[in-house]
Amino acid sequence: MSLAVEQLRHYQDHGFVIVEGLLTPDDLQPAIDEIGAHVGVLADALYDAGRIPETYAGLGFFERLAAIERAHSTAAVMFHVSGLLGRGIASLWSSPKLLTVVEQLIGPDIAGHPVCNVRSKTPQTELMTVPWHQDTAYLLPGAEGTHQPAAWIPFLDVTAETGCMQVKRGGHRAGVFTHEIERDVANPKSWYLYIPEGDLAAYETVTCEMALGSALFINQLTPHRSLENYSDKVRWSVDLRWQRPGEPAGWEGYLDLMEMRRGDDPAFRPDWNGFFAQRAKAFEGFRNLDENSFDISVEGPWIDRWR
């Protein structure tokens, strides 16, 4: 599916566009299976350490992590900062359906940006509720001029109650906003940046309620946030990003781009093995896991940039 002219113009003018019906359940299932298996690994580790009374193996994809978290309060945070990205998620990230849209935005040469996230948004968990920010603020200075569209993809229907996304219409035209570090103000364990709401008052807030199979494409300069999840289910989602190869990524010295498509070489195939190995090594440096307490803290280049 390609973007219609009106959709492409909406993305360019407003900094985002929701593409409905882009993906099927079969497109999403490999990523869901991978995430579910990783929840099982976390459950086994916490159970073996005596941190939870059972592994909750009988619960479904949208219930299990929430039950684990009720028994161990940092479980969702532990899952998020693990940096999960295997072949199931990679198959979605590099799917022709997504790359066809991305090609319309940045051209035929496409690289995956190394900052990709699985969002384990459990019910009413403060550290899973992301404040107003721009994606580019989490990168090293100098990458602001690189067009880095992201696709935010939920694995269930999302509403304001379940913690959908909100965006600031047209905010991408303002350049980079000043960000502050949330943990220095409100939560010593937070790794999030935030834009003070008063700085965004001139921009309309759009609540992005979406059906399963939809994708929200967003410019890296568009301010956005997630709402609190007030449902009884885990609002699972992924955000996947791309850019043109050879342009500043803002992650130099940490992770390389993942080249996915060369417009002049239809036979090109991505080197997933090399990317997975590099990512696994890099993420060990971004988290500090105390194996005795299972407490989690996160460090990254954005902390020094905005401190």
Side-chain angles (χ1 to χ4, degrees):
M1 177 189 295
S2 298
L3 294 181
V5 172
E6 295 79 9
Q7 291 175 307
L8 185 57
R9 185 178 297 119
H10 192 282
Y11 175 87
Q12 294 166 342
D13 292 346
H14 302 287
F16 72 97
V17 66
I18 296 173
V19 183
E20 298 178 346
L22 179 63
L23 301 164
T24 67
D26 287 343
D27 295 327
L28 300 172
Q29 196 59 51
I32 290 173
D33 291 343
E34 184 168 87
I35 294 168
H38 199 65
V39 171
V41 171
L42 174 62
D44 289 342
L46 289 169
Y47 177 76
D48 290 345
R51 303 292 174 173
I52 57 177
E54 58 172 301
T55 63
Y56 305 97
L59 297 181
F61 180 66
F62 299 104
E63 293 81 28
R64 190 178 185 187
L65 185 61
I68 296 169
E69 186 181 65
R70 286 192 292 271
H72 188 82
S73 63
T74 61
V77 181
M78 292 175 66
F79 186 96
H80 176 75
V81 303
S82 67
L84 172 66
L85 200 164
R87 294 192 179 275
I89 296 168
S91 69
L92 179 59
W93 191 20
S94 59
S95 72
K97 291 180 179 180
L98 291 176
L99 294 187
T100 295
V101 174
V102 173
E103 182 170 340
Q104 291 183 272
L105 302 180
I106 66 174
D109 296 329
I110 301 172
H113 192 277
V115 179
C116 295
N117 295 291
V118 177
R119 302 289 181 180
S120 51
K121 193 174 185 69
T122 45
Q124 300 185 57
T125 302
E126 181 181 7
L127 277 175
M128 293 293 99
T129 301
V130 184
W132 287 114
H133 69 285
Q134 296 166 299
D135 286 343
T136 198
Y138 283 88
L139 308 178
L140 297 171
E144 296 84 18
T146 301
H147 189 185
Q148 297 169 325
W152 184 80
I153 302 168
F155 292 114
L156 73 172
D157 296 346
V158 289
T159 65
E161 180 188 12
T162 57
C164 68
M165 296 281 283
Q166 289 186 322
V167 300
K168 288 291 186 178
R169 188 191 303 275
H172 65 305
R173 298 188 179 277
V176 182
F177 287 86
T178 297
H179 287 65
E180 299 183 27
I181 306 171
E182 187 181 57
R183 74 175 177 206
D184 289 354
V185 177
N187 192 328
K189 295 181 180 180
S190 177
W191 61 89
Y192 293 129
L193 303 174
Y194 73 94
I195 305 170
E197 287 218 37
D199 294 351
L200 298 170
Y203 301 96
E204 176 192 358
T205 299
V206 180
T207 300
C208 301
E209 296 188 325
M210 298 163 55
L212 177 68
S214 302
L216 168 65
F217 287 88
I218 184 169
N219 185 288
Q220 81 280 358
L221 289 170
T222 301
H224 58 287
R225 70 175 179 182
S226 69
L227 295 175
E228 185 68 83
N229 179 7
Y230 289 107
S231 75
D232 58 356
K233 298 183 182 299
V234 182
R235 192 229 63 193
W236 287 108
S237 65
V238 292
D239 51 81
L240 310 170
R241 308 179 195 181
W242 304 266
Q243 68 169 70
R244 287 181 287 268
E247 296 188 356
W251 211 244
E252 287 77 14
Y254 297 93
L255 276 170
D256 296 333
L257 294 170
M258 177 61 200
E259 193 173 4
M260 292 184 177
R261 178 179 286 184
R262 294 178 183 173
D264 61 355
D265 183 6
F268 175 78
R269 295 293 181 270
D271 177 17
W272 287 113
N273 289 336
F275 179 80
F276 292 145
Q278 185 194 47
R279 184 179 175 89
K281 182 177 180 180
F283 266 79
E284 287 297 328
F286 290 142
R287 68 177 185 265
N288 177 23
L289 172 59
D290 183 335
E291 295 182 355
N292 294 315
S293 66
F294 285 90
D295 193 14
I296 291 284
S297 61
V298 178
E299 296 290 337
W302 63 92
I303 300 295
D304 290 332
R305 177 179 179 181
W306 297 102
R307 177 169 285 136

